Amino acid sequence: MAQFLDRYRIIEAQKEDSVSFIKDLLVYIDKLENDLRGENDRLLKELEDAQLDLDDARRSRREMQQQLTVTSQRLGQYNTDNEFLKHRNPYIIVLIDGDGTIFHEEYIRQGLEGGKKAANALRNAALEQCPNISDDVEVIAKIFANVSGLAKAMGRVGVLDNPQDLREFTLGFTQGKASFDFIDVGHGTERADSKIREATRWNIRNHNCKQILLGVSHDAGYAPFLDEVLRDESTTRRVSIIEGTPIVRELAATGTRVLNFDHIFRNDKLIERQSPYSQFQQLSHGLPPAQLQAIVNGRNQSPTPPNTWAGVTSIPLTTPPPMVFPVTLKNGTSGAFAAAAVNVVTPHPKLDDWVPGDRGLDPTLTISAVVLERTKRRAGNTKLCNNHYLRGPCPKGDECVFEHRHKASEEELKAIAYLTRLNPCVNGQDCDVEYCIYGHHCPSVGLNLAAVGGEWEG
Protein backbone atom coordinates (compact mmCIF):
# COMPACT_ATOMS: atom_id res chain seq x y z
CA MET A 1 0.00 0.00 0.00
CA ALA A 2 2.74 2.39 0.85
CA GLN A 3 4.29 1.66 -2.49
CA PHE A 4 1.18 2.82 -4.34
CA LEU A 5 0.93 5.89 -2.19
CA ASP A 6 4.48 6.94 -3.09
CA ARG A 7 3.82 6.41 -6.74
CA TYR A 8 0.64 8.53 -6.50
CA ARG A 9 2.52 11.35 -4.88
CA ILE A 10 5.14 11.26 -7.63
CA ILE A 11 2.43 11.41 -10.32
CA GLU A 12 0.72 14.37 -8.59
CA ALA A 13 4.01 16.25 -8.38
CA GLN A 14 4.66 15.67 -12.06
CA LYS A 15 1.13 16.85 -12.88
CA GLU A 16 1.66 20.11 -11.01
CA ASP A 17 4.98 20.67 -12.83
CA SER A 18 3.29 20.06 -16.19
CA VAL A 19 0.55 22.55 -15.43
CA SER A 20 3.11 25.15 -14.33
CA PHE A 21 5.20 24.52 -17.42
CA ILE A 22 2.19 24.86 -19.70
CA LYS A 23 1.13 28.05 -17.94
CA ASP A 24 4.62 29.58 -18.31
CA LEU A 25 4.75 28.48 -21.92
CA LEU A 26 1.44 30.14 -22.72
CA VAL A 27 2.54 33.40 -21.07
CA TYR A 28 5.79 33.38 -23.06
CA ILE A 29 3.99 32.64 -26.31
CA ASP A 30 1.56 35.48 -25.70
CA LYS A 31 4.39 37.93 -25.03
CA LEU A 32 6.33 36.74 -28.06
CA GLU A 33 3.27 37.09 -30.24
CA ASN A 34 2.74 40.67 -29.07
CA ASP A 35 6.40 41.53 -29.72
CA LEU A 36 6.32 39.99 -33.18
CA ARG A 37 3.10 41.77 -34.01
CA GLY A 38 4.68 45.12 -33.01
CA GLU A 39 7.82 44.39 -35.02
CA ASN A 40 5.70 43.41 -37.98
CA ASP A 41 3.77 46.68 -37.79
CA ARG A 42 7.06 48.59 -37.64
CA LEU A 43 8.48 46.76 -40.62
CA LEU A 44 5.29 47.32 -42.58
CA LYS A 45 5.59 51.05 -41.84
CA GLU A 46 9.21 51.11 -42.93
CA LEU A 47 8.36 49.18 -46.06
CA GLU A 48 5.65 51.67 -46.88
CA ASP A 49 8.06 54.57 -46.34
CA ALA A 50 10.72 52.85 -48.44
CA GLN A 51 8.22 52.33 -51.21
CA LEU A 52 7.32 56.00 -51.11
CA ASP A 53 11.04 56.94 -51.17
CA LEU A 54 11.62 54.60 -54.07
CA ASP A 55 8.76 56.11 -56.01
CA ASP A 56 10.09 59.60 -55.26
CA ALA A 57 13.63 58.60 -56.28
CA ARG A 58 12.35 57.17 -59.54
CA ARG A 59 10.43 60.34 -60.23
CA SER A 60 13.44 62.53 -59.34
CA ARG A 61 15.74 60.42 -61.51
CA ARG A 62 13.44 60.81 -64.46
CA GLU A 63 13.31 64.57 -63.90
CA MET A 64 17.10 64.74 -63.57
CA GLN A 65 17.52 62.72 -66.73
CA GLN A 66 15.22 65.11 -68.53
CA GLN A 67 17.09 68.13 -67.11
CA LEU A 68 20.44 66.55 -68.03
CA THR A 69 19.24 66.03 -71.57
CA VAL A 70 18.07 69.65 -71.82
CA THR A 71 21.29 70.94 -70.20
CA SER A 72 23.45 68.87 -72.55
CA GLN A 73 21.57 70.27 -75.50
CA ARG A 74 22.01 73.81 -74.19
CA LEU A 75 25.71 73.25 -73.48
CA GLY A 76 26.23 71.98 -76.98
CA GLN A 77 24.47 75.06 -78.32
CA TYR A 78 26.56 77.31 -76.08
CA ASN A 79 29.77 75.69 -77.32
CA THR A 80 28.61 76.13 -80.89
CA ASP A 81 27.72 79.77 -80.26
CA ASN A 82 31.02 80.36 -78.45
CA GLU A 83 33.05 78.95 -81.31
CA PHE A 84 31.00 81.02 -83.71
CA LEU A 85 31.59 84.20 -81.68
CA LYS A 86 35.31 83.47 -81.36
CA HIS A 87 35.67 83.25 -85.12
CA ARG A 88 32.92 85.61 -86.23
CA ASN A 89 35.01 88.82 -86.39
CA PRO A 90 38.67 87.73 -86.47
CA TYR A 91 41.22 90.49 -86.71
CA ILE A 92 44.93 91.23 -86.70
CA ILE A 93 46.07 94.36 -84.90
CA VAL A 94 49.26 96.22 -85.80
CA LEU A 95 50.63 98.55 -83.10
CA ILE A 96 53.62 100.64 -84.14
CA ASP A 97 55.82 103.11 -82.30
CA GLY A 98 56.15 105.54 -85.18
CA ASP A 99 59.02 107.51 -83.64
CA GLY A 100 61.36 104.54 -84.08
CA THR A 101 59.68 102.34 -86.70
CA ILE A 102 59.54 104.84 -89.56
CA PHE A 103 58.00 104.41 -93.00
CA HIS A 104 60.25 104.71 -96.03
CA GLU A 105 60.57 108.30 -97.20
CA GLU A 106 59.36 107.20 -100.66
CA TYR A 107 55.91 106.81 -99.13
CA ILE A 108 56.09 109.96 -97.00
CA ARG A 109 57.19 112.25 -99.82
CA GLN A 110 54.06 111.32 -101.76
CA GLY A 111 51.93 112.86 -99.03
CA LEU A 112 48.28 111.83 -99.06
CA GLU A 113 48.66 109.20 -101.77
CA GLY A 114 51.78 107.82 -100.14
CA GLY A 115 49.87 107.32 -96.90
CA LYS A 116 47.19 105.32 -98.69
CA LYS A 117 49.81 103.21 -100.46
CA ALA A 118 51.60 102.55 -97.17
CA ALA A 119 48.33 101.51 -95.52
CA ASN A 120 47.60 99.07 -98.34
CA ALA A 121 51.15 97.68 -98.27
CA LEU A 122 51.03 97.22 -94.50
CA ARG A 123 47.69 95.40 -94.68
CA ASN A 124 48.93 93.03 -97.38
CA ALA A 125 52.16 92.33 -95.50
CA ALA A 126 50.26 91.54 -92.30
CA LEU A 127 47.96 89.11 -94.11
CA GLU A 128 50.90 87.40 -95.84
CA GLN A 129 52.56 86.77 -92.50
CA CYS A 130 49.39 85.17 -91.07
CA PRO A 131 48.31 82.66 -93.76
CA ASN A 132 46.48 80.31 -91.37
CA ILE A 133 43.80 82.86 -90.51
CA SER A 134 40.45 82.88 -92.33
CA ASP A 135 39.96 85.00 -95.42
CA ASP A 136 37.50 87.39 -93.77
CA VAL A 137 40.04 88.57 -91.19
CA GLU A 138 40.21 92.32 -90.57
CA VAL A 139 43.50 94.18 -90.17
CA ILE A 140 43.57 97.03 -87.65
CA ALA A 141 46.59 99.33 -87.52
CA LYS A 142 47.44 102.08 -85.07
CA ILE A 143 50.60 104.16 -85.43
CA PHE A 144 51.59 106.30 -82.43
CA ALA A 145 54.12 109.08 -82.98
CA ASN A 146 55.08 112.65 -82.19
CA VAL A 147 54.33 113.87 -85.70
CA SER A 148 55.76 117.38 -85.42
CA GLY A 149 58.94 116.14 -83.75
CA LEU A 150 59.34 113.36 -86.30
CA ALA A 151 58.91 115.83 -89.16
CA LYS A 152 61.63 118.07 -87.70
CA ALA A 153 63.95 115.10 -87.26
CA MET A 154 63.44 113.86 -90.81
CA GLY A 155 63.92 117.36 -92.15
CA ARG A 156 67.08 117.79 -90.13
CA VAL A 157 68.70 114.65 -91.52
CA GLY A 158 67.68 115.50 -95.08
CA VAL A 159 65.15 112.74 -95.86
CA LEU A 160 62.16 115.11 -95.86
CA ASP A 161 62.14 118.48 -97.60
CA ASN A 162 58.67 119.62 -96.60
CA PRO A 163 57.35 118.80 -93.08
CA GLN A 164 53.83 119.14 -94.44
CA ASP A 165 54.41 115.96 -96.46
CA LEU A 166 54.48 113.94 -93.24
CA ARG A 167 51.24 115.53 -92.06
CA GLU A 168 49.61 114.72 -95.40
CA PHE A 169 51.03 111.20 -95.21
CA THR A 170 49.42 110.60 -91.80
CA LEU A 171 46.06 111.76 -93.17
CA GLY A 172 46.41 109.48 -96.19
CA PHE A 173 47.31 106.54 -93.97
CA THR A 174 44.25 107.14 -91.79
CA GLN A 175 41.98 107.57 -94.80
CA GLY A 176 43.44 104.57 -96.65
CA LYS A 177 41.63 101.98 -94.52
CA ALA A 178 38.68 102.42 -92.19
CA SER A 179 40.48 100.48 -89.46
CA PHE A 180 43.81 102.33 -89.82
CA ASP A 181 44.78 105.30 -87.64
CA PHE A 182 47.93 107.41 -87.45
CA ILE A 183 47.74 109.00 -84.01
CA ASP A 184 49.75 112.08 -83.05
CA VAL A 185 50.61 111.68 -79.33
CA GLY A 186 52.54 114.96 -79.14
CA HIS A 187 55.64 115.69 -77.07
CA GLY A 188 56.54 113.66 -74.02
CA THR A 189 58.27 110.42 -73.16
CA GLU A 190 56.39 107.12 -72.83
CA ARG A 191 53.24 108.48 -74.49
CA ALA A 192 53.40 106.11 -77.44
CA ASP A 193 54.81 103.33 -75.24
CA SER A 194 51.95 103.46 -72.73
CA LYS A 195 49.30 103.33 -75.46
CA ILE A 196 50.95 100.36 -77.16
CA ARG A 197 51.26 98.47 -73.88
CA GLU A 198 47.62 99.02 -72.88
CA ALA A 199 46.34 98.16 -76.36
CA THR A 200 48.39 94.96 -76.30
CA ARG A 201 47.04 93.94 -72.90
CA TRP A 202 43.44 94.53 -73.98
CA ASN A 203 43.68 92.73 -77.31
CA ILE A 204 45.61 89.75 -76.00
CA ARG A 205 42.60 88.93 -73.79
CA ASN A 206 40.25 89.05 -76.78
CA HIS A 207 39.87 85.68 -78.54
CA ASN A 208 38.83 87.43 -81.74
CA CYS A 209 42.33 88.91 -81.94
CA LYS A 210 44.31 86.31 -83.86
CA GLN A 211 47.65 88.12 -84.06
CA ILE A 212 49.31 91.21 -82.56
CA LEU A 213 52.14 92.77 -84.59
CA LEU A 214 54.30 95.20 -82.62
CA GLY A 215 56.54 97.69 -84.41
CA VAL A 216 58.94 98.20 -81.51
CA SER A 217 62.16 96.50 -82.63
CA HIS A 218 64.21 99.61 -81.77
CA ASP A 219 63.16 99.92 -78.11
CA ALA A 220 64.60 97.58 -75.46
CA GLY A 221 62.13 99.02 -72.95
CA TYR A 222 59.43 96.68 -74.28
CA ALA A 223 61.35 93.55 -73.26
CA PRO A 224 60.13 93.47 -69.60
CA PHE A 225 56.59 94.12 -70.81
CA LEU A 226 56.70 91.18 -73.24
CA ASP A 227 58.11 88.92 -70.52
CA GLU A 228 55.11 89.93 -68.41
CA VAL A 229 52.35 89.25 -70.95
CA LEU A 230 53.81 86.26 -72.82
CA ARG A 231 53.26 83.66 -70.12
CA ASP A 232 52.26 80.62 -72.17
CA GLU A 233 52.82 79.15 -75.60
CA SER A 234 49.39 80.07 -76.98
CA THR A 235 49.91 83.74 -76.10
CA THR A 236 53.44 83.75 -77.49
CA ARG A 237 52.18 82.41 -80.83
CA ARG A 238 49.80 85.36 -81.12
CA VAL A 239 52.44 88.11 -80.73
CA SER A 240 55.10 89.07 -83.29
CA ILE A 241 57.57 91.94 -83.62
CA ILE A 242 57.89 93.92 -86.85
CA GLU A 243 61.55 94.58 -87.51
CA GLY A 244 62.25 98.01 -88.90
CA THR A 245 65.66 98.86 -87.54
CA PRO A 246 67.54 95.71 -86.42
CA ILE A 247 65.92 94.24 -83.34
CA VAL A 248 67.68 95.03 -80.08
CA ARG A 249 69.25 92.20 -78.12
CA GLU A 250 66.80 92.42 -75.20
CA LEU A 251 63.76 91.93 -77.44
CA ALA A 252 65.40 89.09 -79.35
CA ALA A 253 65.99 87.31 -76.02
CA THR A 254 62.22 87.14 -75.36
CA GLY A 255 61.85 84.55 -78.14
CA THR A 256 59.08 86.49 -79.87
CA ARG A 257 58.68 85.85 -83.60
CA VAL A 258 60.27 88.58 -85.73
CA LEU A 259 58.78 89.71 -89.06
CA ASN A 260 60.73 91.68 -91.63
CA PHE A 261 58.80 94.50 -93.32
CA ASP A 262 61.84 96.29 -94.76
CA HIS A 263 59.93 97.13 -97.94
CA ILE A 264 57.65 99.32 -95.81
CA PHE A 265 59.79 100.59 -92.94
CA ARG A 266 63.32 101.97 -92.80
CA ASN A 267 65.88 99.43 -91.65
CA ASP A 268 68.27 102.08 -90.37
CA LYS A 269 68.01 104.91 -87.89
CA LEU A 270 67.81 108.57 -88.80
CA ILE A 271 71.39 109.86 -88.85
CA GLU A 272 71.80 113.47 -87.85
CA ARG A 273 74.22 115.46 -89.96
CA GLN A 274 77.10 116.95 -87.99
CA SER A 275 78.77 120.27 -88.44
CA PRO A 276 82.56 120.61 -88.22
CA TYR A 277 82.01 122.46 -84.97
CA SER A 278 80.15 119.56 -83.35
CA GLN A 279 82.81 117.16 -84.61
CA PHE A 280 85.47 119.35 -83.00
CA GLN A 281 83.53 119.27 -79.73
CA GLN A 282 83.45 115.48 -79.80
CA LEU A 283 87.14 115.23 -80.60
CA SER A 284 88.18 117.67 -77.90
CA HIS A 285 85.90 116.39 -75.11
CA GLY A 286 87.99 114.87 -72.33
CA LEU A 287 91.24 114.66 -74.35
CA PRO A 288 94.65 115.23 -72.77
CA PRO A 289 96.22 118.65 -73.45
CA ALA A 290 98.72 117.33 -75.99
CA GLN A 291 95.99 115.78 -78.16
CA LEU A 292 93.83 118.87 -77.78
CA GLN A 293 96.73 121.02 -79.00
CA ALA A 294 97.18 118.64 -81.93
CA ILE A 295 93.54 119.07 -82.91
CA VAL A 296 93.88 122.85 -82.68
CA ASN A 297 96.95 122.79 -84.92
CA GLY A 298 95.20 120.55 -87.45
CA ARG A 299 97.50 117.55 -86.94
CA ASN A 300 94.75 115.22 -85.75
CA GLN A 301 92.26 114.81 -88.59
CA SER A 302 90.70 111.45 -87.66
CA PRO A 303 86.98 111.55 -88.37
CA THR A 304 84.36 110.63 -85.82
CA PRO A 305 81.30 108.53 -86.58
CA PRO A 306 78.03 110.43 -86.83
CA ASN A 307 75.48 110.30 -84.04
CA THR A 308 72.25 108.39 -84.46
CA TRP A 309 68.98 110.22 -83.88
CA ALA A 310 67.74 109.21 -80.43
CA GLY A 311 64.95 111.74 -80.01
CA VAL A 312 62.96 114.34 -81.85
CA THR A 313 63.42 117.37 -79.65
CA SER A 314 66.98 118.56 -80.27
CA ILE A 315 67.45 122.01 -81.79
CA PRO A 316 69.26 122.76 -85.10
CA LEU A 317 72.82 124.00 -84.79
CA THR A 318 73.59 127.65 -85.47
CA THR A 319 76.95 129.07 -86.43
CA PRO A 320 79.02 129.03 -83.23
CA PRO A 321 81.01 132.00 -81.99
CA PRO A 322 84.80 131.76 -81.75
CA MET A 323 85.75 129.42 -78.91
CA VAL A 324 88.53 129.94 -76.41
CA PHE A 325 89.99 126.63 -75.20
CA PRO A 326 92.70 126.10 -72.58
CA VAL A 327 95.88 124.57 -73.94
CA THR A 328 98.20 123.27 -71.24
CA LEU A 329 101.92 123.70 -71.71
CA LYS A 330 104.42 121.73 -69.68
CA ASN A 331 106.46 123.73 -67.20
CA GLY A 332 109.94 122.30 -67.18
CA THR A 333 110.79 123.51 -63.68
CA SER A 334 107.80 122.61 -61.57
CA GLY A 335 106.09 119.87 -63.61
CA ALA A 336 102.73 121.69 -63.30
CA PHE A 337 100.57 122.87 -66.21
CA ALA A 338 99.86 126.52 -66.88
CA ALA A 339 96.61 127.40 -68.61
CA ALA A 340 97.05 129.46 -71.76
CA ALA A 341 94.29 130.91 -73.92
CA VAL A 342 94.25 129.87 -77.57
CA ASN A 343 91.60 131.27 -79.90
CA VAL A 344 90.13 128.52 -82.07
CA VAL A 345 87.88 129.67 -84.89
CA THR A 346 86.24 126.58 -86.37
CA PRO A 347 85.04 126.83 -89.98
CA HIS A 348 81.33 126.21 -90.24
CA PRO A 349 79.03 126.19 -93.25
CA LYS A 350 76.51 128.99 -93.45
CA LEU A 351 73.20 127.93 -91.92
CA ASP A 352 69.91 129.75 -91.79
CA ASP A 353 69.44 131.79 -88.63
CA TRP A 354 67.53 129.82 -86.04
CA VAL A 355 64.52 131.53 -84.52
CA PRO A 356 63.69 130.31 -81.01
CA GLY A 357 60.14 129.51 -79.94
CA ASP A 358 58.24 130.67 -76.87
CA ARG A 359 60.87 129.23 -74.53
CA GLY A 360 63.60 131.43 -75.97
CA LEU A 361 67.29 131.07 -75.26
CA ASP A 362 68.61 129.67 -72.01
CA PRO A 363 70.51 132.25 -69.92
CA THR A 364 74.07 132.90 -71.11
CA LEU A 365 76.80 131.16 -69.12
CA THR A 366 80.34 132.47 -68.64
CA ILE A 367 82.40 129.44 -67.74
CA SER A 368 85.97 128.95 -66.66
CA ALA A 369 87.56 126.67 -69.24
CA VAL A 370 89.86 125.20 -66.59
CA VAL A 371 86.98 124.41 -64.24
CA LEU A 372 84.91 123.03 -67.12
CA GLU A 373 87.66 120.65 -68.19
CA ARG A 374 88.27 119.58 -64.59
CA THR A 375 84.55 118.90 -64.12
CA LYS A 376 84.44 116.88 -67.33
CA ARG A 377 87.24 114.65 -66.09
CA ARG A 378 85.24 113.47 -63.12
CA ALA A 379 84.04 109.94 -63.81
CA GLY A 380 82.20 107.15 -62.06
CA ASN A 381 81.13 107.94 -58.52
CA THR A 382 83.26 111.10 -58.48
CA LYS A 383 81.03 112.73 -61.09
CA LEU A 384 79.04 115.59 -59.59
CA CYS A 385 75.30 114.85 -59.32
CA ASN A 386 73.26 117.18 -61.55
CA ASN A 387 70.11 116.87 -59.46
CA HIS A 388 71.91 117.53 -56.17
CA TYR A 389 73.76 120.65 -57.29
CA LEU A 390 71.21 122.19 -59.68
CA ARG A 391 67.79 121.19 -58.33
CA GLY A 392 68.31 120.72 -54.63
CA PRO A 393 68.21 117.48 -52.65
CA CYS A 394 68.68 114.49 -54.92
CA PRO A 395 65.60 112.22 -54.75
CA LYS A 396 67.86 109.14 -54.62
CA GLY A 397 69.59 110.36 -51.46
CA ASP A 398 72.37 108.08 -50.23
CA GLU A 399 71.57 105.53 -52.95
CA CYS A 400 72.73 107.92 -55.69
CA VAL A 401 75.93 106.74 -57.37
CA PHE A 402 77.22 110.27 -58.00
CA GLU A 403 79.05 112.74 -55.76
CA HIS A 404 77.05 114.77 -53.21
CA ARG A 405 79.61 115.67 -50.53
CA HIS A 406 81.83 117.93 -52.62
CA LYS A 407 81.37 121.65 -51.88
CA ALA A 408 81.00 123.05 -55.37
CA SER A 409 82.19 126.57 -56.10
CA GLU A 410 80.19 129.03 -58.15
CA GLU A 411 82.36 128.29 -61.19
CA GLU A 412 81.81 124.55 -60.75
CA LEU A 413 78.05 125.08 -60.56
CA LYS A 414 78.22 126.95 -63.88
CA ALA A 415 80.23 124.10 -65.39
CA ILE A 416 77.69 121.53 -64.14
CA ALA A 417 74.86 123.64 -65.58
CA TYR A 418 76.60 123.84 -68.97
CA LEU A 419 77.32 120.11 -69.13
CA THR A 420 73.74 119.31 -68.14
CA ARG A 421 72.45 121.58 -70.92
CA LEU A 422 74.26 119.38 -73.43
CA ASN A 423 71.40 116.93 -72.83
CA PRO A 424 68.45 118.31 -74.83
CA CYS A 425 65.16 118.76 -73.02
CA VAL A 426 62.61 116.30 -74.41
CA ASN A 427 60.11 119.14 -74.90
CA GLY A 428 62.54 121.54 -76.56
CA GLN A 429 61.09 125.00 -77.06
CA ASP A 430 57.72 123.70 -75.84
CA CYS A 431 59.08 123.14 -72.32
CA ASP A 432 57.14 125.09 -69.69
CA VAL A 433 59.23 124.10 -66.64
CA GLU A 434 60.64 127.38 -65.33
CA TYR A 435 63.80 125.94 -63.80
CA CYS A 436 64.43 123.10 -66.26
CA ILE A 437 68.13 122.18 -66.12
CA TYR A 438 68.34 120.71 -69.63
CA GLY A 439 69.15 122.45 -72.91
CA HIS A 440 66.51 124.02 -75.12
CA HIS A 441 68.71 125.05 -78.06
CA CYS A 442 72.14 124.41 -79.55
CA PRO A 443 74.78 124.47 -76.75
CA SER A 444 76.92 126.90 -78.77
CA VAL A 445 74.29 129.63 -78.50
CA GLY A 446 74.82 131.87 -75.51
CA LEU A 447 78.13 130.29 -74.43
CA ASN A 448 81.10 132.33 -73.27
CA LEU A 449 83.96 129.96 -72.53
CA ALA A 450 86.66 131.99 -70.80
CA ALA A 451 90.24 130.99 -70.10
CA VAL A 452 91.27 131.56 -66.51
CA GLY A 453 94.91 131.98 -65.62
CA GLY A 454 96.66 130.15 -62.83
CA GLU A 455 97.96 126.69 -62.23
CA TRP A 456 95.88 123.64 -63.00
CA GLU A 457 96.74 120.27 -61.60
CA GLY A 458 95.37 117.78 -64.12
Side-chain angles (χ1 to χ4, degrees), residues 270-403:
L270 295 177
I271 307 300
E272 186 175 8
R273 294 174 295 186
Q274 287 186 299
S275 66
Y277 170 68
S278 63
Q279 293 179 0
F280 177 80
Q281 277 192 316
Q282 289 188 1
L283 284 170
S284 61
H285 178 71
L287 291 179
Q291 293 187 23
L292 181 60
Q293 180 65 57
I295 295 174
V296 173
N297 294 336
R299 292 195 298 267
N300 190 340
Q301 301 295 333
S302 60
T304 58
N307 291 331
T308 56
W309 179 257
V312 294
T313 55
S314 62
I315 308 301
L317 290 173
T318 58
T319 304
M323 299 289 291
V324 180
F325 278 89
V327 178
T328 55
L329 303 176
K330 188 172 182 180
N331 188 325
T333 57
S334 63
F337 294 97
V342 178
N343 289 328
V344 180
V345 180
T346 307
H348 193 285
K350 177 63 178 177
L351 299 176
D352 295 335
D353 291 337
W354 173 70
V355 179
D358 296 337
R359 176 81 187 193
L361 298 177
D362 293 327
T364 302
L365 293 173
T366 301
I367 310 168
S368 166
V370 174
V371 175
L372 177 62
E373 187 64 25
R374 188 168 59 220
T375 304
K376 285 182 181 179
R377 289 192 175 190
R378 287 180 172 268
N381 56 8
T382 66
K383 181 181 178 182
L384 301 179
C385 176
N386 298 337
N387 285 324
H388 177 76
Y389 290 102
L390 299 181
R391 285 178 169 168
C394 176
K396 296 182 180 179
D398 295 337
E399 296 181 358
C400 182
V401 298
F402 299 119
E403 176 63 44

Side-chain angles (χ1 to χ4, degrees), residues 128-146:
E128 289 176 2
Q129 295 294 338
C130 306
N132 298 327
I133 302 177
S134 59
D135 296 334
D136 60 344
V137 66
E138 181 66 50
V139 178
I140 301 173
K142 294 185 181 297
I143 317 294
F144 303 96
N146 173 9

Side-chain angles (χ1 to χ4, degrees), residues 77-350:
Q77 185 62 43
Y78 290 154
N79 289 334
T80 302
D81 293 344
N82 185 44
E83 290 299 318
F84 173 74
L85 292 175
K86 285 170 61 176
H87 300 286
R88 183 176 63 174
N89 294 313
Y91 67 90
I92 301 169
I93 187 165
V94 183
L95 303 171
I96 294 178
D97 185 342
D99 290 329
T101 304
I102 304 172
F103 286 91
H104 278 302
E105 53 268 26
E106 289 79 5
Y107 287 116
I108 298 177
R109 288 171 181 168
Q110 297 179 47
L112 196 68
E113 288 302 317
K116 294 179 180 179
K117 292 179 181 178
N120 189 60
L122 181 59
R123 181 182 186 278
N124 293 337
L127 292 175
E128 289 176 2
Q129 295 294 338
C130 306
N132 298 327
I133 302 177
S134 59
D135 296 334
D136 60 344
V137 66
E138 181 66 50
V139 178
I140 301 173
K142 294 185 181 297
I143 317 294
F144 303 96
N146 173 9
V147 176
S148 61
L150 181 60
K152 291 178 182 178
M154 297 185 73
R156 186 172 298 114
V157 301
V159 299
L160 189 64
D161 297 328
N162 184 4
Q164 186 61 25
D165 289 344
L166 180 59
R167 182 68 62 179
E168 293 291 330
F169 171 82
T170 62
L171 293 176
F173 184 88
T174 302
Q175 296 172 6
K177 300 292 178 183
S179 57
F180 280 34
D181 296 295
F182 201 116
I183 302 169
D184 185 0
V185 297
H187 293 284
T189 59
E190 297 293 325
R191 291 191 177 181
D193 297 6
S194 62
K195 290 183 178 295
I196 290 176
R197 290 190 180 101
E198 288 306 312
T200 301
R201 286 193 180 97
W202 191 92
N203 285 280
I204 209 167
R205 294 192 295 265
N206 189 342
H207 290 287
N208 298 87
C209 180
K210 304 305 178 183
Q211 191 70 209
I212 301 176
L213 308 183
L214 301 175
V216 297
S217 64
H218 61 286
D219 192 345
Y222 286 96
F225 167 71
L226 290 178
D227 289 335
E228 172 192 343
V229 298
L230 303 182
R231 297 183 177 181
D232 53 63
E233 184 179 355
S234 61
T235 304
T236 303
R237 288 198 303 266
R238 293 170 57 204
V239 178
S240 302
I241 295 177
I242 297 175
E243 185 177 40
T245 56
I247 188 169
V248 296
R249 181 177 63 256
E250 292 82 356
L251 287 177
T254 64
T256 309
R257 184 173 66 138
V258 179
L259 308 178
N260 192 302
F261 286 5
D262 57 0
H263 62 292
I264 301 175
F265 300 103
R266 293 174 58 97
N267 56 13
D268 58 346
K269 296 182 179 180
L270 295 177
I271 307 300
E272 186 175 8
R273 294 174 295 186
Q274 287 186 299
S275 66
Y277 170 68
S278 63
Q279 293 179 0
F280 177 80
Q281 277 192 316
Q282 289 188 1
L283 284 170
S284 61
H285 178 71
L287 291 179
Q291 293 187 23
L292 181 60
Q293 180 65 57
I295 295 174
V296 173
N297 294 336
R299 292 195 298 267
N300 190 340
Q301 301 295 333
S302 60
T304 58
N307 291 331
T308 56
W309 179 257
V312 294
T313 55
S314 62
I315 308 301
L317 290 173
T318 58
T319 304
M323 299 289 291
V324 180
F325 278 89
V327 178
T328 55
L329 303 176
K330 188 172 182 180
N331 188 325
T333 57
S334 63
F337 294 97
V342 178
N343 289 328
V344 180
V345 180
T346 307
H348 193 285
K350 177 63 178 177

Side-chain angles (χ1 to χ4, degrees), residues 393-424:
C394 176
K396 296 182 180 179
D398 295 337
E399 296 181 358
C400 182
V401 298
F402 299 119
E403 176 63 44
H404 287 183
R405 294 186 299 272
H406 176 72
K407 293 183 179 180
S409 65
E410 183 177 353
E411 291 299 325
E412 286 176 320
L413 292 176
K414 292 179 181 179
I416 298 171
Y418 169 72
L419 294 174
T420 305
R421 282 189 191 174
L422 296 180
N423 300 311

